[in-house]
Amino acid sequence: MCGIVGFTGARSAAPILLKGLSRLEYRGYDSAGIAVLDSGVIDVEKVSGRIARLCEKTKDGAAVPGVIGIGHTRWATHGAPTDLNAHPHLSNDGRFAIVHNGIIENYLSLREELIADGYVFQSETDTETVVHLLEMYYDGDVLTAVRKTAARLEGSYALGILCTDAPDTLWVVREKSPLILGLGVGENFFASDVTALVSHTKNVIYLEDGEIAAITPQRAIVYDCTGREIRKDVSRVSWDVEAAEKGGYEHFMLKEIMEQPAAVRAALAPRIHDGQIRLDDFELTTEELRGINKIIITACGSAYYAGCSGRYGIERLCRIPVEVELASELRYADPMVDEHTLVLVISQSGETADTIAALKECRSRGAKILGIVNVVGSTIAKLADHTLYTWAGPEIAVATTKGFTTQLAVLYLFAVYASEKLGYIDDGRRAALIHELMELPKRIQQAIDMNFYQLPGLAKRYSSQSLFFIGRNTDYAVALEGALKMKEISYLHAESYAAGELKHGTIALIDEGQPVIAVCCNEAVCDKTLSNIVEVKARGAKVLALAFRDNRKIVSQADDVLFIPRIETVFTAALAVVPLQLLAYYAAKEKGCDIDKPKNLAKSVTVE
Ligand code: G6P
């Protein structure tokens, strides 16, 4: 939940570190710091609060000379977000500085041991134990000290290390937290995410668990945990730096909402050839598919809601029972999975700790794992038996939008693919479904255009300390994600309900003027939801409905209506969610919230 970055070369390090940190700020943003080595001394500058404060303090890095350094942006776990708890942390002898993303689970016993040995702690963090261990194990050879230190650590870590005795070398080690090396010309980098590297280089090395690297301006040498040098492939990042910039939009979130037509097209188009779906490395035989008697979809946050939505399409088209489980629950649930279970693990970042744990739990019981992941080379992509990338490009805003709709696009592809293999649809129906899928990007654009100008006004009208989102079946899944978006970025309490459940208690909360957002896009259940609209209106609610554009009945019942173009029922969520993303965006804007970096949240949740 933190971001780390490092640079070694001939240029001034601090401005490069600060720029890199600002690209990683989505990972955590409660404090930040840099350490730069110059003339044998490590200068550490750190502040609580945003990176902008660190830039101010260091005069955009100009006040911190040196050509090698490390940086950190924090989402506090151990110890409050104070200046002292901010990283980097220094060893008592001033020889080592470190930055850390992850959690050292055995830090308490290590801390006691180190205090007994005379080491003095400055902070309350788990991380500080690591820098004292390095000092303890150092006898002139940094690699050995790093190996011995890593062998004592339990938990997850990506560590960046600076040592005064190796004035042009950065050391890194990874275990269960992302770490990528960037290879430049006469300069090299490391970072938690490629977004911090692409403005300098597109050539990267993805480190694996247990690997250590020594990075000088000329080369990066990677070692395994025994200290043996190993050869690593260099990968090429496929997107440009502009993709990680705001490009004229006021917020990344708005930019990413607007990118959805292109992102969904990028997820779908390369997998449809001559009217047939091809799923990269997940081509299954009919026999293999027939051998699957249950599908479990597991994920966290919005990815879980993508699963709730995708479930309807898979069950309807493939007639395979689907369970959708929160990863944080599934991992402790003693799940009933075996070699006949296919587990779809959905994650934008590919690094969510609970999702990774659920994946491992299911795999240990023999299930086959299909990852649906956005970030290339991420942990889930590596752990899964097969991975379908969502190809959404970098998503910077903490609240996901294009990450979510591209997950839906891949789930839809999977549903149609498996349905055909299993013989549930004939050529005609397949062609019709694929045609509708290929129409999705265009219709998402229409869903934006049809509502764009009225959304700021509606957001103002429906903003309230408490909102209800209702819907049935596929519309209920949309209501869940719509309410989450509203909570995440506008801090308004939004509750989603299966519309039919309202009368079992929640309707007691409906009073004069209570905003209710009713998703009414699934025609099989639309009339039922309409009855629920009538019920809440009878109790004074103010209703904003979301429906297909030719739905006349809704106009006579709801106070206001958002329209979307018509699409095949099982694909509606990818369209219907878009106006709700914009509704949340404008509600947050109206309140003056920090839309891209909502309070208390982080984009990549690597704690359990
Ligand atoms: C965080 C983000 C959410 C995201 C969830 C799961 O809570 O703020 O937007 O849906 O993590 O993340 P993942 O990367 O696994 O999709």
Side-chain angles (χ1 to χ4, degrees):
M1 317 263 293
C2 301
I4 66 171
V5 66
F7 169 78
T8 177
R11 294 190 281 159
S12 185
I16 295 169
L17 296 174
L18 291 170
K19 181 99 185 143
L21 288 180
S22 65
R23 292 208 188 278
L24 295 176
E25 209 174 8
Y26 72 88
R27 302 179 67 85
Y29 32 83
D30 58 36
S31 47
I34 54 172
V36 177
L37 173 58
D38 189 38
S39 311
V41 178
I42 297 173
D43 181 3
V44 175
E45 300 292 339
K46 47 193 197 176
V47 296
S48 56
R50 299 287 170 90
I51 285 154
R53 284 196 64 213
L54 186 61
C55 292
E56 220 172 276
K57 186 179 179 209
T58 60
K59 305 205 174 354
D60 289 324
V64 190
V67 293
I68 179 169
I70 55 180
H72 188 269
T73 181
R74 181 167 186 247
W75 188 88
T77 54
H78 298 65
T82 60
D83 289 7
L84 271 184
N85 288 330
H87 303 206
H89 293 285
L90 270 179
S91 58
N92 287 168
D93 61 5
R95 186 179 267 129
F96 289 99
I98 65 160
V99 287
H100 168 214
N101 171 30
I103 287 184
I104 307 301
E105 287 165 2
N106 57 335
Y107 84 103
L108 274 178
S109 59
L110 291 172
R111 192 177 165 109
E112 277 167 23
E113 175 189 328
L114 287 157
I115 289 172
D117 282 347
Y119 290 93
V120 179
F121 280 74
Q122 307 290 335
S123 76
E124 303 152 272
T125 63
D126 52 336
T127 304
E128 202 185 337
T129 55
V130 182
V131 78
H132 299 318
L133 284 175
L134 282 168
E135 180 180 335
M136 186 168 94
Y137 287 122
Y138 183 64
D139 62 1
D141 176 8
V142 183
L143 178 60
T144 304
V146 173
R147 280 182 46 226
K148 286 184 175 167
T149 299
R152 297 292 312 278
L153 304 178
E154 287 166 22
S156 61
Y157 49 86
L159 293 164
I161 301 162
L162 205 52
C163 175
T164 53
D165 292 349
D168 68 347
T169 311
L170 298 166
W171 296 83
V172 294
V173 53
R174 136 170 202 161
E175 183 66 38
K176 298 190 203 124
S177 289
L179 192 52
I180 299 139
L181 311 184
L183 308 178
V185 178
E187 57 185 29
N188 286 316
F189 311 78
F190 72 78
S192 303
D193 181 349
V194 282
T195 47
L197 303 173
V198 276
S199 60
H200 305 290
T201 178
K202 287 184 163 189
N203 295 328
V204 299
I205 293 176
Y206 293 97
L207 288 191
E208 310 278 340
D209 284 351
E211 290 177 351
I212 301 168
I215 312 159
T216 65
Q218 280 70 42
R219 57 184 304 220
I221 307 174
V222 182
Y223 304 92
D224 67 12
C225 58
T226 67
R228 194 171 50 93
E229 195 174 323
I230 51 177
R231 221 191 70 77
K232 296 282 292 180
D233 291 336
V234 176
S235 308
R236 189 114 181 115
V237 179
S238 59
W239 45 268
D240 291 314
V241 66
E242 294 76 48
E245 286 174 348
K246 278 191 206 155
Y249 286 99
E250 194 177 345
H251 297 99
F252 277 110
M253 183 176 177
L254 186 58
K255 176 183 177 239
E256 288 158 8
I257 289 172
M258 297 308 191
E259 281 173 348
Q260 289 179 108
V264 168
R265 188 173 294 114
L268 293 172
R271 292 169 169 137
I272 297 175
H273 301 272
D274 303 327
Q276 299 278 351
I277 295 172
R278 306 222 186 292
L279 292 184
D280 318 347
D281 74 333
F282 192 63
E283 295 292 334
L284 288 188
T285 63
T286 306
E287 280 328 295
E288 284 172 316
L289 263 174
R290 289 223 169 96
I292 295 169
N293 57 22
K294 175 162 83 171
I295 291 177
I296 291 189
I297 304 181
T298 191
C300 296
S302 292
Y304 168 74
Y305 293 143
C308 293
S309 211
R311 170 190 159 194
Y312 294 106
I314 298 173
E315 285 193 332
R316 192 161 311 167
L317 293 173
C318 308
R319 311 312 297 162
I320 302 175
V322 181
E323 291 168 17
V324 192
E325 304 282 353
L326 288 164
S328 52
E329 292 293 321
L330 181 69
R331 57 180 298 194
Y332 302 115
D334 192 8
M336 290 199 284
V337 302
D338 58 25
E339 64 278 15
H340 299 295
T341 315
L342 174 66
V343 179
L344 306 189
V345 178
I346 310 176
S347 175
Q348 189 284 130
S349 64
E351 301 294 346
T352 303
D354 283 321
T355 312
I356 293 171
L359 181 161
K360 289 181 175 165
E361 185 61 42
C362 292
R363 210 203 354 234
S364 72
R365 291 161 192 247
K368 199 184 260 45
I369 311 289
L370 172 62
I372 298 178
V373 175
N374 188 35
V375 176
V376 175
S378 56
T379 303
I380 291 174
K382 284 186 188 140
L383 288 176
D385 298 309
H386 307 274
T387 297
L388 294 175
Y389 283 112
T390 52
W391 301 125
E395 193 180 60
I396 312 289
V398 165
T400 182
T401 51
K402 63 175 181 172
F404 178 80
T405 40
T406 52
Q407 287 162 355
L408 289 179
V410 171
L411 286 164
Y412 299 159
L413 277 170
F414 171 82
V416 178
Y417 170 87
S419 177
E420 192 205 357
K421 285 260 173 203
L422 290 167
Y424 287 115
I425 48 172
D426 59 18
D427 287 355
R429 176 81 171 128
R430 186 199 69 229
L433 286 168
I434 290 180
H435 173 264
E436 287 287 279
L437 267 182
M438 290 306 283
E439 285 286 297
L440 249 183
K442 194 170 84 198
R443 301 212 189 148
I444 292 176
Q445 187 61 56
Q446 289 167 350
I448 294 173
D449 297 342
M450 286 163 85
N451 300 296
F452 195 67
Y453 291 103
Q454 56 161 343
L455 271 159
L458 287 173
K460 202 168 175 174
R461 184 161 143 69
Y462 284 85
S463 279
S464 152
Q465 257 334 93
S466 156
L467 293 99
F468 286 97
F469 285 68
I470 60 169
R472 289 169 182 252
N473 196 266
T474 45
D475 290 339
Y476 175 44
V478 173
L480 287 163
E481 173 63 4
L484 178 63
K485 283 283 92 67
M486 188 62 84
K487 283 182 272 210
E488 280 182 294
I489 60 167
S490 73
Y491 317 142
L492 297 175
H493 174 244
E495 183 135 355
S496 58
Y497 256 84
E501 271 297 295
L502 272 183
K503 55 187 169 295
H504 297 294
T506 316
I507 204 159
L509 297 169
I510 305 290
D511 270 328
E512 199 57 36
Q514 170 64 54
V516 174
I517 319 297
V519 186
C520 246
C521 301
N522 182 329
E523 289 184 315
V525 288
C526 204
D527 282 352
K528 302 285 175 205
T529 310
L530 214 61
S531 308
N532 303 126
I533 292 176
V534 175
E535 283 158 18
V536 293
K537 278 202 65 78
R539 287 155 182 86
K542 163 169 94 172
V543 175
L544 170 60
L546 176 62
F548 283 151
R549 77 174 135 200
D550 50 5
N551 187 333
R552 297 254 165 268
K553 285 190 208 158
I554 208 88
V555 180
S556 60
Q557 298 300 338
D559 295 280
D560 295 282
V561 187
L562 290 163
F563 287 115
I564 58 167
R566 192 162 270 281
I567 192 106
E568 160 66 42
T569 304
V570 286
F571 305 151
T572 45
L575 276 187
V577 76
V578 176
L580 300 187
Q581 295 166 342
L582 285 163
L583 187 72
Y585 173 83
Y586 284 111
K589 193 166 170 207
E590 177 69 24
K591 279 188 73 191
C593 299
D594 191 345
I595 292 178
D596 286 336
K597 300 188 193 85
K599 69 174 188 242
N600 304 338
L601 302 185
K603 189 156 189 70
S604 182
V605 182
T606 53
V607 295
E608 298 179 350

